[in-house]
């Protein structure tokens, strides 16, 4: 089992991706998918506002890009690195895509489905359960979200 320190650089890439989202009014969440060698094969940031697509979460966009890159929906051997704990929709996509590992930064106490509200990816009734590593650059990930809500929505 990994400790998380080896995912700091990929998390920085996910943070860079997240910083692209607010340009269109989207919440700054970003993600990257790594192949077995650690190469980035998919990336994405929230784009619901930009696209009008309710499924345009960073995780979904990154997983779709990775599937295109490998030519298969099965992302066995891959790692998804995302700045915020995934929601229920994204947790389902993570299970269905068969990624081996999920790495996330900040917890989401309002919608998190990897331990905060639910723990979908570890449900023993499912046929695939990825390894989960949480808290990688959590403070930096959380600060990006706090700043966005303070600056763009008048919330703190």
């Amino acid at each position: 089992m990994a400790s998380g320190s080896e995912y700091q650089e990929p998390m920085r890439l996910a943070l860079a991706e997240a910083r692209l989202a607010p340009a269109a009014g989207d919440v700054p969440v970003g993600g990257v998918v790594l192949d077995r060698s650690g190469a980035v094969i998919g990336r994405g940031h929230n784009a619901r506002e930009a696209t009008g697509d309710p499924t345009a979460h960073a995780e979904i966009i990154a997983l779709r890009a990775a599937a295109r890159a490998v030519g298969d929906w099965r992302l066995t051997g891959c790692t998804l690195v995302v700045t915020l704990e995934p929601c229920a929709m994204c947790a389902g996509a993570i299970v269905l895509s068969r990624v081996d590992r999920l790495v996330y930064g900040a917890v989401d106490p309002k919608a998190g489905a990897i331990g905060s509200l639910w723990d979908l990816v570890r449900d023993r009734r499912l046929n695939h359960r990825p390894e989960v590593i949480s808290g990688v650059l959590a403070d930096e990930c959380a600060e990006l979200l706090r700043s966005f809500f303070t600056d763009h929505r008048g919330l703190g």
Side-chain angles (χ1 to χ4, degrees):
M1 184 175 296
S3 68
S5 61
E6 66 268 33
Y7 293 105
Q8 288 186 2
E9 275 310 306
M11 186 61 77
R12 285 186 179 89
L13 295 174
L15 280 161
E17 193 67 30
R19 289 183 184 101
L20 300 174
D26 282 289
V27 175
V29 177
V32 295
V33 178
L34 311 173
D35 68 9
R36 289 180 196 277
S37 73
V40 175
I41 59 169
R43 59 181 67 230
H45 58 272
N46 277 0
R48 291 185 309 169
E49 299 296 331
T51 63
D53 179 354
T55 68
H57 288 203
E59 300 93 326
I60 302 296
I61 293 168
L63 290 170
R64 286 176 178 161
R68 281 192 303 275
V70 300
D72 193 355
W73 63 267
R74 291 174 194 88
L75 297 175
T76 306
C78 294
T79 298
L80 171 63
V81 179
V82 64
T83 58
L84 181 66
E85 177 184 0
C87 69
M89 174 183 69
C90 294
I94 290 163
V95 170
L96 293 173
S97 70
R98 309 293 196 269
V99 296
D100 283 0
R101 186 174 305 101
L102 166 66
V103 177
Y104 71 88
V107 298
D108 186 351
K110 294 182 180 179
I114 315 293
S116 289
L117 292 181
W118 301 282
D119 200 350
L120 294 178
V121 301
R122 294 186 197 110
D123 189 318
R124 297 215 173 269
R125 296 169 292 183
L126 298 174
N127 65 344
H128 178 73
R129 289 180 299 282
E131 175 186 3
V132 176
I133 300 169
S134 61
V136 176
L137 300 181
D139 292 341
E140 195 172 335
C141 294
E143 181 54 36
L144 183 61
L145 290 160
R146 270 191 296 277
S147 294
F148 172 80
F149 286 112
T150 298
D151 296 345
H152 291 85
R153 304 251 170 104
L155 302 174

